[in-house]
Structure formats: structure tokens, C-alpha cells
Amino acid sequence: METYIHNALFILFQLCFIVQLYYLISNHSRLSRYKPVEQLPEVLIPVSVIISARNEAKNLQENLPFILQQNYPDFEVVVINDCSYDSSNDVLDDMQREYPHLKVVTITEHDRFKTGKKFALTLGIKAAKNEYMLFTDADCKPASVNWITRMAVNFSTKAQIILGYSPYYKTRNFLNPFVRFETIKTAINYLSGALNGDPYMGIGRNLGYTKTLFFSQKGFASHMHVISGDDDLFVNQHATADNTIIEIHPETFTYTSAKTTLASWYRQKKRHMGVGKLYKNKHRRMLSFDAMSGFLFYVLLIIALVFKYEALLALGLFTFRLILQLIIYSKIFKKLDGKDLIWYLPFFDIIYYMYLNVFGLIGTFLKTTQWK
């Protein structure tokens, strides 16, 4: 009986190995070969940048000027001041006097209904005068004055959705390396999905889409009852192979600060994972297979090594997968400003798959009730 169990577990280990190879070779390798356009394009498309902010006075003061001072001929910035009770209103008033292309939409608390980010964004989109829109957050800073230019040029194609990338600043905080690693791995998945003709999510810190698409699909109506998901659920429902494009030139990155405590990071990830169960079935299956196969791969590897059952073969398969990861991921991590993290791969990859399964389980049962 014991031999049968060992054989069954090792067969399962090999199946997990094959599934993981599929994700690496079929899904991720194309991103490693992808090259963004280097030459700065000339673009004359009018653009509206939309930012929803709640109690973000400090971030608005620090980051908003870098957006308002973009090197672009025709753009406006729409900031929705969503029920803030800090000094956001004063900060925005001061900036409006200096920057005439800043438009402020103010939302106040109402006893009869609760506001949320989706409601705020909807008002901002209605207030925007332009068809083509870029989205980011108040705590984000563009990597260059060419952020709008390089993002907007993609609207000159048939694309209605632009998926950008938003890394975290590198710091000495103990959580920072893994938070940055997890962000890159998430980006690898959704950027690869789009490159392979199956886009399934985007991030609101760096995203673009058209007003026509938003209103023709009734905006966030189908998931307005869910607090999170203004970015990934919208993309999941409406992105197709024909209307979606990625943009990962380093000048288009929007940087932000990572959470610095386990408690704050947990709250953030719990909120994000809670919407995964609302993805299309095929995307939930795809992400679940990756998460479960990766987790079982490591669990069964440890079992094989501890009980010394086909240990050399198991170690060989692990080494082969690791080498393939290093070959494919080294190029991607460099493109996504994480080349220093590639050497953490053997250790962080294990934690990453544990994290996916734990937070995936938590997200299945818990609901989020606030966005700030």
C-alpha cells in the first residue's frame, strides 16, 4: 500500500511539473521576448487622466504635479475628491490656480447612500471631456514626463484598453522584496495573458480605456455591489484579444510605495483577492491551476526528498524547472525593474505559491466593505 501511495504522489508531482512547464513556456516566454517601442512617438490624441482620491492630501501634493507637468500637448487631469476630510480640498484649490488643465470633482458624504471608488470614478469619467482616458492613483508617480505620450500612442491602434505596469519603490523594509516579487509575478501573468490573446485583468494604478467602451458596457454596473474590482473586474469582463494592448516601456511605469507592515499588506491583498471569484470561469480555472500546481509541486518535492522516494529524479525536475525559470524570468524581471529580485527566486517562489493558495481561500469567504 505504501508503494502505491508513493507512486501516486510521484505521478502527481510529475503532472504538476508538466503544468508548471506549460505556464512557463506557453504563457510567459513570449513576454520575455517582447520589446516595447523605444523611439518616442508623436501623438496628438486628446487624453483625460482620471484619479480618484480619498484623504490623499499628502500624496496629491507630492505626486500630482508630476502628472500635471507631463510633456504632452493636449490633456486634462480629473481628480475626484471623494469625501475627503483632510486638507485635500485646499491642496487641489491651490493646484487649480496654477494648472488650468486640472479639473476637480468633489463628492460629499450623504446619509442615504455610501460612496466608493467605482462611484467616484464613474463621476470622473462623466466629467472627462475626452474619449481616451488614463487612470492612476494619487499615491502613484509616473516614471517620466513621457508617461501620457507612450501610453496614449496605443490608442492610435484599434485598442480600447491599455494595460500598463506599476512597480513598487525599492526600500530596505523587510517586506519590500517579496511585495515587489509578487507584483512582478502578477504582472507576468496578466501581461502574458494579453500577449497571448487572452487578457483577464489590469491594475488601476496604470490603466487606459475609452469612454465609449465604458458607457457601452454600462460601466461598473454589473459589479457595483463589490467594493474592489474597478480595474481587474472591468478588464476581465470587457477585454478581448482585439481590443487590448500592453505597454511596458520603463517611461510608462507608475511607481508607488509598498505596504510596510504585515497587517496593512494583509488588508490590501485580502481586498484584491476577494474579487477573483468573480472572474470569468476560464480565467478562474487558469489561475487556480497555476496556483494549485505550483503549491503541490513544492509540497510533493519536499515529501519525495524527506522520504527519499525518487529523490534524485524529483531534485532533477526541480532543478530543470528552476533553470528554465531563470532563463525566462531574468529578462522579464529586468524589463519590469526587478532584476535584483531574480536571485530570490528559489525562496520567494515557494512563498508565492503558498500566498496564492492562502489568500485565494480567504478571498472566497470574506467580503470587503471599504476602499479607503
Side-chain angles (χ1 to χ4, degrees):
M1 176 63 78
E2 184 177 342
T3 301
Y4 286 125
I5 293 174
H6 284 163
N7 285 338
L9 290 177
F10 196 74
I11 290 172
L12 181 58
F13 171 72
Q14 293 175 84
L15 289 175
C16 292
F17 169 77
I18 293 170
V19 171
Q20 286 292 294
L21 285 193
Y22 166 78
Y23 281 100
L24 276 171
I25 297 172
S26 178
N27 285 16
H28 301 163
S29 61
R30 188 171 179 180
L31 183 60
S32 71
R33 301 190 301 270
Y34 180 81
K35 294 181 180 179
V37 176
E38 288 297 331
Q39 184 176 354
L40 187 66
E42 291 185 9
V43 193
L44 299 175
I45 300 172
V47 170
S48 294
V49 178
I50 299 179
I51 302 169
S52 180
R54 176 174 291 184
N55 296 323
E56 296 278 12
K58 184 174 183 294
N59 284 323
L60 288 170
Q61 199 161 27
E62 291 180 358
N63 299 318
L64 190 54
F66 291 94
I67 295 174
L68 291 163
Q69 295 166 10
Q70 284 286 296
N71 180 26
Y72 196 74
D74 188 358
F75 76 104
E76 66 171 356
V77 178
V78 180
V79 176
I80 308 97
N81 186 12
D82 184 15
C83 304
S84 297
Y85 48 82
D86 63 358
S87 59
S88 293
N89 191 59
D90 296 332
V91 171
L92 292 169
D93 282 346
D94 290 341
M95 287 195 183
Q96 272 191 304
R97 285 190 283 270
E98 184 177 356
Y99 301 100
H101 55 299
L102 172 61
K103 182 184 294 184
V104 177
V105 177
T106 301
I107 304 175
T108 56
E109 291 283 1
H110 198 289
D111 294 336
R112 294 185 180 180
F113 62 88
K114 292 183 178 180
T115 63
K117 189 174 183 181
K118 291 175 185 175
F119 177 77
L121 286 175
T122 300
L123 293 187
I125 292 169
K126 288 181 177 179
K129 67 179 182 180
N130 297 315
E131 163 71 4
Y132 301 101
M133 304 179 297
L134 297 178
F135 297 82
T136 188
D137 288 340
D139 59 355
C140 293
K141 176 183 174 182
S144 78
V145 294
N146 297 319
W147 171 61
I148 293 180
T149 301
R150 291 193 178 276
M151 290 290 285
V153 71
N154 293 286
F155 284 129
S156 62
T157 67
K158 60 182 179 180
Q160 292 181 289
I161 297 176
I162 304 169
L163 306 181
Y165 172 61
S166 180
Y168 288 109
Y169 291 115
K170 181 180 178 180
T171 69
R172 294 182 179 275
N173 179 267
F174 77 104
L175 269 180
N176 186 263
F178 180 72
V179 171
R180 291 171 58 226
F181 179 90
E182 183 269 333
T183 300
I184 291 177
K185 282 281 285 185
T186 300
I188 288 173
N189 285 332
Y190 77 77
L191 293 171
S192 296
L195 280 178
N196 287 296
D198 190 21
Y200 71 90
M201 71 160 281
I203 51 169
R205 302 195 303 272
N206 199 357
L207 181 66
Y209 51 81
T210 65
K211 184 180 284 193
T212 296
L213 177 68
F214 182 80
F215 286 114
S216 67
Q217 302 299 326
K218 299 181 180 179
F220 306 123
S222 64
H223 49 89
M224 187 65 84
H225 62 289
V226 182
I227 298 298
S228 299
D230 57 277
D231 45 11
D232 55 345
L233 284 183
F234 182 83
V235 172
N236 188 260
Q237 291 181 354
H238 308 306
T240 67
D242 294 327
N243 74 357
T244 305
I245 195 169
I246 74 168
E247 179 53 71
I248 58 169
H249 191 283
E251 287 192 328
T252 67
F253 295 172
T254 56
Y255 283 85
T256 188
S257 297
K259 301 298 183 183
T260 57
T261 66
L262 282 171
S264 60
W265 179 73
Y266 170 78
R267 287 193 298 270
Q268 180 189 52
K269 296 286 86 177
K270 183 181 70 172
R271 185 171 67 247
H272 292 169
M273 285 289 186
V275 302
K277 58 181 176 287
L278 300 177
Y279 284 7
K280 293 177 181 176
N281 288 336
K282 65 175 182 177
H283 297 136
R284 286 193 286 117
R285 286 194 296 268
M286 174 191 70
L287 295 171
S288 296
F289 281 142
D290 180 30
M292 187 58 69
S293 64
F295 177 72
L296 287 177
F297 176 82
Y298 284 113
V299 170
L300 296 171
L301 170 67
I302 293 171
I303 290 175
L305 295 178
V306 168
F307 291 98
K308 298 180 180 179
Y309 188 79
E310 300 287 359
L312 288 179
L313 180 55
L315 196 58
L317 294 178
F318 164 76
T319 303
F320 180 82
R321 174 178 175 267
L322 178 60
I323 291 172
L324 194 60
Q325 282 181 310
L326 290 172
I327 292 172
I328 294 175
Y329 284 165
S330 59
K331 295 180 180 179
I332 300 177
F333 274 54
K334 185 177 181 180
K335 290 176 185 176
L336 301 182
D337 194 20
K339 63 180 181 180
D340 59 302
L341 298 173
I342 194 66
W343 304 113
Y344 290 88
L345 182 63
F347 175 61
F348 278 172
D349 200 51
I350 299 174
I351 299 177
Y352 172 75
Y353 281 106
M354 291 175 59
Y355 145 83
L356 282 184
N357 285 272
V358 169
F359 277 94
L361 186 62
I362 291 172
T364 302
F365 297 103
L366 295 182
K367 296 180 180 180
T368 55
T369 58
Q370 63 183 45
W371 74 277
K372 282 286 182 181

PDB file of all heavy atoms in Angstrom, residues 272-292:
ATOM      1  N   HIS A 272      -7.947  42.693  -2.625  1.00  0.00           N
ATOM      2  CA  HIS A 272      -7.710  42.371  -4.030  1.00  0.00           C
ATOM      3  C   HIS A 272      -8.142  40.952  -4.370  1.00  0.00           C
ATOM      4  O   HIS A 272      -8.749  40.702  -5.413  1.00  0.00           O
ATOM      5  CB  HIS A 272      -6.222  42.555  -4.362  1.00  0.00           C
ATOM      6  CG  HIS A 272      -5.783  43.987  -4.318  1.00  0.00           C
ATOM      7  ND1 HIS A 272      -4.462  44.355  -4.370  1.00  0.00           N
ATOM      8  CD2 HIS A 272      -6.497  45.141  -4.238  1.00  0.00           C
ATOM      9  CE1 HIS A 272      -4.380  45.679  -4.310  1.00  0.00           C
ATOM     10  NE2 HIS A 272      -5.597  46.164  -4.232  1.00  0.00           N
ATOM     11  N   MET A 273      -7.818  40.007  -3.498  1.00  0.00           N
ATOM     12  CA  MET A 273      -8.136  38.614  -3.781  1.00  0.00           C
ATOM     13  C   MET A 273      -9.639  38.343  -3.735  1.00  0.00           C
ATOM     14  O   MET A 273     -10.130  37.404  -4.341  1.00  0.00           O
ATOM     15  CB  MET A 273      -7.418  37.693  -2.783  1.00  0.00           C
ATOM     16  CG  MET A 273      -5.939  37.537  -3.047  1.00  0.00           C
ATOM     17  SD  MET A 273      -5.626  36.570  -4.532  1.00  0.00           S
ATOM     18  CE  MET A 273      -3.837  36.416  -4.463  1.00  0.00           C
ATOM     19  N   GLY A 274     -10.372  39.195  -3.019  1.00  0.00           N
ATOM     20  CA  GLY A 274     -11.796  38.969  -2.871  1.00  0.00           C
ATOM     21  C   GLY A 274     -12.581  39.033  -4.162  1.00  0.00           C
ATOM     22  O   GLY A 274     -13.688  38.492  -4.250  1.00  0.00           O
ATOM     23  N   VAL A 275     -12.024  39.681  -5.192  1.00  0.00           N
ATOM     24  CA  VAL A 275     -12.765  39.805  -6.452  1.00  0.00           C
ATOM     25  C   VAL A 275     -12.430  38.688  -7.435  1.00  0.00           C
ATOM     26  O   VAL A 275     -13.093  38.542  -8.458  1.00  0.00           O
ATOM     27  CB  VAL A 275     -12.502  41.181  -7.125  1.00  0.00           C
ATOM     28  CG1 VAL A 275     -12.892  42.305  -6.190  1.00  0.00           C
ATOM     29  CG2 VAL A 275     -11.044  41.308  -7.549  1.00  0.00           C
ATOM     30  N   GLY A 276     -11.415  37.897  -7.118  1.00  0.00           N
ATOM     31  CA  GLY A 276     -11.006  36.841  -8.049  1.00  0.00           C
ATOM     32  C   GLY A 276     -12.105  35.846  -8.353  1.00  0.00           C
ATOM     33  O   GLY A 276     -12.182  35.306  -9.457  1.00  0.00           O
ATOM     34  N   LYS A 277     -12.965  35.610  -7.385  1.00  0.00           N
ATOM     35  CA  LYS A 277     -14.039  34.640  -7.588  1.00  0.00           C
ATOM     36  C   LYS A 277     -15.080  35.130  -8.593  1.00  0.00           C
ATOM     37  O   LYS A 277     -15.949  34.349  -9.019  1.00  0.00           O
ATOM     38  CB  LYS A 277     -14.713  34.311  -6.256  1.00  0.00           C
ATOM     39  CG  LYS A 277     -15.310  35.484  -5.520  1.00  0.00           C
ATOM     40  CD  LYS A 277     -15.926  35.031  -4.211  1.00  0.00           C
ATOM     41  CE  LYS A 277     -16.460  36.210  -3.395  1.00  0.00           C
ATOM     42  NZ  LYS A 277     -15.373  36.996  -2.803  1.00  0.00           N
ATOM     43  N   LEU A 278     -15.008  36.409  -8.972  1.00  0.00           N
ATOM     44  CA  LEU A 278     -15.951  36.970  -9.935  1.00  0.00           C
ATOM     45  C   LEU A 278     -15.392  37.010 -11.351  1.00  0.00           C
ATOM     46  O   LEU A 278     -16.062  37.480 -12.274  1.00  0.00           O
ATOM     47  CB  LEU A 278     -16.365  38.387  -9.506  1.00  0.00           C
ATOM     48  CG  LEU A 278     -17.042  38.494  -8.138  1.00  0.00           C
ATOM     49  CD1 LEU A 278     -17.338  39.944  -7.796  1.00  0.00           C
ATOM     50  CD2 LEU A 278     -18.330  37.675  -8.115  1.00  0.00           C
ATOM     51  N   TYR A 279     -14.161  36.534 -11.534  1.00  0.00           N
ATOM     52  CA  TYR A 279     -13.586  36.464 -12.874  1.00  0.00           C
ATOM     53  C   TYR A 279     -14.373  35.462 -13.726  1.00  0.00           C
ATOM     54  O   TYR A 279     -15.093  34.605 -13.206  1.00  0.00           O
ATOM     55  CB  TYR A 279     -12.130  35.995 -12.810  1.00  0.00           C
ATOM     56  CG  TYR A 279     -11.130  37.037 -12.355  1.00  0.00           C
ATOM     57  CD1 TYR A 279     -11.526  38.283 -11.876  1.00  0.00           C
ATOM     58  CD2 TYR A 279      -9.767  36.766 -12.401  1.00  0.00           C
ATOM     59  CE1 TYR A 279     -10.605  39.217 -11.460  1.00  0.00           C
ATOM     60  CE2 TYR A 279      -8.829  37.699 -11.988  1.00  0.00           C
ATOM     61  CZ  TYR A 279      -9.257  38.923 -11.509  1.00  0.00           C
ATOM     62  OH  TYR A 279      -8.331  39.850 -11.091  1.00  0.00           O
ATOM     63  N   LYS A 280     -14.192  35.548 -15.031  1.00  0.00           N
ATOM     64  CA  LYS A 280     -14.774  34.550 -15.921  1.00  0.00           C
ATOM     65  C   LYS A 280     -14.276  33.164 -15.527  1.00  0.00           C
ATOM     66  O   LYS A 280     -13.152  33.010 -15.046  1.00  0.00           O
ATOM     67  CB  LYS A 280     -14.392  34.843 -17.370  1.00  0.00           C
ATOM     68  CG  LYS A 280     -14.998  36.111 -17.938  1.00  0.00           C
ATOM     69  CD  LYS A 280     -14.503  36.360 -19.354  1.00  0.00           C
ATOM     70  CE  LYS A 280     -15.079  37.645 -19.928  1.00  0.00           C
ATOM     71  NZ  LYS A 280     -14.538  37.944 -21.279  1.00  0.00           N
ATOM     72  N   ASN A 281     -15.090  32.155 -15.738  1.00  0.00           N
ATOM     73  CA  ASN A 281     -14.752  30.795 -15.309  1.00  0.00           C
ATOM     74  C   ASN A 281     -13.419  30.321 -15.872  1.00  0.00           C
ATOM     75  O   ASN A 281     -12.621  29.701 -15.168  1.00  0.00           O
ATOM     76  CB  ASN A 281     -15.867  29.821 -15.710  1.00  0.00           C
ATOM     77  CG  ASN A 281     -17.114  29.991 -14.872  1.00  0.00           C
ATOM     78  OD1 ASN A 281     -17.048  30.477 -13.745  1.00  0.00           O
ATOM     79  ND2 ASN A 281     -18.262  29.612 -15.419  1.00  0.00           N
ATOM     80  N   LYS A 282     -13.159  30.604 -17.146  1.00  0.00           N
ATOM     81  CA  LYS A 282     -11.918  30.121 -17.759  1.00  0.00           C
ATOM     82  C   LYS A 282     -10.696  30.756 -17.108  1.00  0.00           C
ATOM     83  O   LYS A 282      -9.643  30.123 -16.989  1.00  0.00           O
ATOM     84  CB  LYS A 282     -11.919  30.372 -19.265  1.00  0.00           C
ATOM     85  CG  LYS A 282     -11.919  31.834 -19.681  1.00  0.00           C
ATOM     86  CD  LYS A 282     -11.805  31.961 -21.198  1.00  0.00           C
ATOM     87  CE  LYS A 282     -11.763  33.420 -21.637  1.00  0.00           C
ATOM     88  NZ  LYS A 282     -11.580  33.539 -23.115  1.00  0.00           N
ATOM     89  N   HIS A 283     -10.849  32.003 -16.666  1.00  0.00           N
ATOM     90  CA  HIS A 283      -9.718  32.670 -16.026  1.00  0.00           C
ATOM     91  C   HIS A 283      -9.535  32.195 -14.587  1.00  0.00           C
ATOM     92  O   HIS A 283      -8.403  32.076 -14.114  1.00  0.00           O
ATOM     93  CB  HIS A 283      -9.919  34.186 -16.076  1.00  0.00           C
ATOM     94  CG  HIS A 283      -9.945  34.744 -17.461  1.00  0.00           C
ATOM     95  ND1 HIS A 283     -10.863  35.677 -17.891  1.00  0.00           N
ATOM     96  CD2 HIS A 283      -9.170  34.456 -18.539  1.00  0.00           C
ATOM     97  CE1 HIS A 283     -10.640  35.962 -19.158  1.00  0.00           C
ATOM     98  NE2 HIS A 283      -9.636  35.226 -19.580  1.00  0.00           N
ATOM     99  N   ARG A 284     -10.629  31.910 -13.916  1.00  0.00           N
ATOM    100  CA  ARG A 284     -10.511  31.341 -12.570  1.00  0.00           C
ATOM    101  C   ARG A 284      -9.848  29.971 -12.626  1.00  0.00           C
ATOM    102  O   ARG A 284      -9.022  29.630 -11.778  1.00  0.00           O
ATOM    103  CB  ARG A 284     -11.878  31.247 -11.901  1.00  0.00           C
ATOM    104  CG  ARG A 284     -12.409  32.602 -11.444  1.00  0.00           C
ATOM    105  CD  ARG A 284     -13.598  32.485 -10.513  1.00  0.00           C
ATOM    106  NE  ARG A 284     -14.795  32.101 -11.242  1.00  0.00           N
ATOM    107  CZ  ARG A 284     -15.468  30.977 -11.058  1.00  0.00           C
ATOM    108  NH1 ARG A 284     -15.041  30.085 -10.175  1.00  0.00           N
ATOM    109  NH2 ARG A 284     -16.558  30.709 -11.757  1.00  0.00           N
ATOM    110  N   ARG A 285     -10.219  29.180 -13.627  1.00  0.00           N
ATOM    111  CA  ARG A 285      -9.583  27.857 -13.776  1.00  0.00           C
ATOM    112  C   ARG A 285      -8.098  28.002 -14.081  1.00  0.00           C
ATOM    113  O   ARG A 285      -7.257  27.291 -13.496  1.00  0.00           O
ATOM    114  CB  ARG A 285     -10.278  27.065 -14.888  1.00  0.00           C
ATOM    115  CG  ARG A 285     -11.650  26.530 -14.519  1.00  0.00           C
ATOM    116  CD  ARG A 285     -12.117  25.497 -15.529  1.00  0.00           C
ATOM    117  NE  ARG A 285     -12.291  26.081 -16.860  1.00  0.00           N
ATOM    118  CZ  ARG A 285     -13.434  26.573 -17.311  1.00  0.00           C
ATOM    119  NH1 ARG A 285     -14.503  26.569 -16.523  1.00  0.00           N
ATOM    120  NH2 ARG A 285     -13.519  27.072 -18.518  1.00  0.00           N
ATOM    121  N   MET A 286      -7.761  28.914 -14.982  1.00  0.00           N
ATOM    122  CA  MET A 286      -6.362  29.117 -15.354  1.00  0.00           C
ATOM    123  C   MET A 286      -5.519  29.511 -14.145  1.00  0.00           C
ATOM    124  O   MET A 286      -4.438  28.941 -13.901  1.00  0.00           O
ATOM    125  CB  MET A 286      -6.272  30.198 -16.427  1.00  0.00           C
ATOM    126  CG  MET A 286      -4.848  30.603 -16.795  1.00  0.00           C
ATOM    127  SD  MET A 286      -4.805  32.080 -17.822  1.00  0.00           S
ATOM    128  CE  MET A 286      -5.308  33.348 -16.637  1.00  0.00           C
ATOM    129  N   LEU A 287      -5.995  30.477 -13.379  1.00  0.00           N
ATOM    130  CA  LEU A 287      -5.254  30.948 -12.220  1.00  0.00           C
ATOM    131  C   LEU A 287      -5.215  29.888 -11.118  1.00  0.00           C
ATOM    132  O   LEU A 287      -4.202  29.743 -10.422  1.00  0.00           O
ATOM    133  CB  LEU A 287      -5.889  32.235 -11.694  1.00  0.00           C
ATOM    134  CG  LEU A 287      -5.805  33.441 -12.645  1.00  0.00           C
ATOM    135  CD1 LEU A 287      -6.654  34.593 -12.123  1.00  0.00           C
ATOM    136  CD2 LEU A 287      -4.363  33.878 -12.837  1.00  0.00           C
ATOM    137  N   SER A 288      -6.296  29.150 -10.966  1.00  0.00           N
ATOM    138  CA  SER A 288      -6.343  28.095  -9.947  1.00  0.00           C
ATOM    139  C   SER A 288      -5.382  26.960 -10.267  1.00  0.00           C
ATOM    140  O   SER A 288      -4.702  26.439  -9.372  1.00  0.00           O
ATOM    141  CB  SER A 288      -7.766  27.547  -9.814  1.00  0.00           C
ATOM    142  OG  SER A 288      -8.653  28.534  -9.357  1.00  0.00           O
ATOM    143  N   PHE A 289      -5.322  26.569 -11.546  1.00  0.00           N
ATOM    144  CA  PHE A 289      -4.399  25.503 -11.945  1.00  0.00           C
ATOM    145  C   PHE A 289      -2.952  25.906 -11.674  1.00  0.00           C
ATOM    146  O   PHE A 289      -2.144  25.109 -11.203  1.00  0.00           O
ATOM    147  CB  PHE A 289      -4.572  25.161 -13.429  1.00  0.00           C
ATOM    148  CG  PHE A 289      -5.758  24.278 -13.711  1.00  0.00           C
ATOM    149  CD1 PHE A 289      -6.529  24.476 -14.843  1.00  0.00           C
ATOM    150  CD2 PHE A 289      -6.106  23.253 -12.859  1.00  0.00           C
ATOM    151  CE1 PHE A 289      -7.626  23.677 -15.113  1.00  0.00           C
ATOM    152  CE2 PHE A 289      -7.198  22.441 -13.113  1.00  0.00           C
ATOM    153  CZ  PHE A 289      -7.964  22.657 -14.238  1.00  0.00           C
ATOM    154  N   ASP A 290      -2.632  27.152 -11.987  1.00  0.00           N
ATOM    155  CA  ASP A 290      -1.274  27.635 -11.742  1.00  0.00           C
ATOM    156  C   ASP A 290      -0.979  27.634 -10.248  1.00  0.00           C
ATOM    157  O   ASP A 290       0.061  27.118  -9.803  1.00  0.00           O
ATOM    158  CB  ASP A 290      -1.111  29.041 -12.318  1.00  0.00           C
ATOM    159  CG  ASP A 290       0.292  29.596 -12.095  1.00  0.00           C
ATOM    160  OD1 ASP A 290       1.248  28.798 -12.035  1.00  0.00           O
ATOM    161  OD2 ASP A 290       0.428  30.824 -11.976  1.00  0.00           O
ATOM    162  N   ALA A 291      -1.895  28.200  -9.456  1.00  0.00           N
ATOM    163  CA  ALA A 291      -1.675  28.294  -8.010  1.00  0.00           C
ATOM    164  C   ALA A 291      -1.570  26.917  -7.362  1.00  0.00           C
ATOM    165  O   ALA A 291      -0.652  26.652  -6.573  1.00  0.00           O
ATOM    166  CB  ALA A 291      -2.805  29.101  -7.363  1.00  0.00           C
ATOM    167  N   MET A 292      -2.491  26.023  -7.691  1.00  0.00           N
ATOM    168  CA  MET A 292      -2.506  24.709  -7.057  1.00  0.00           C
ATOM    169  C   MET A 292      -1.348  23.838  -7.518  1.00  0.00           C
ATOM    170  O   MET A 292      -0.718  23.143  -6.710  1.00  0.00           O
ATOM    171  CB  MET A 292      -3.845  24.010  -7.340  1.00  0.00           C
ATOM    172  CG  MET A 292      -4.026  22.706  -6.575  1.00  0.00           C
ATOM    173  SD  MET A 292      -3.922  22.923  -4.782  1.00  0.00           S
ATOM    174  CE  MET A 292      -5.423  23.850  -4.466  1.00  0.00           C
TER     175      MET A 292
END
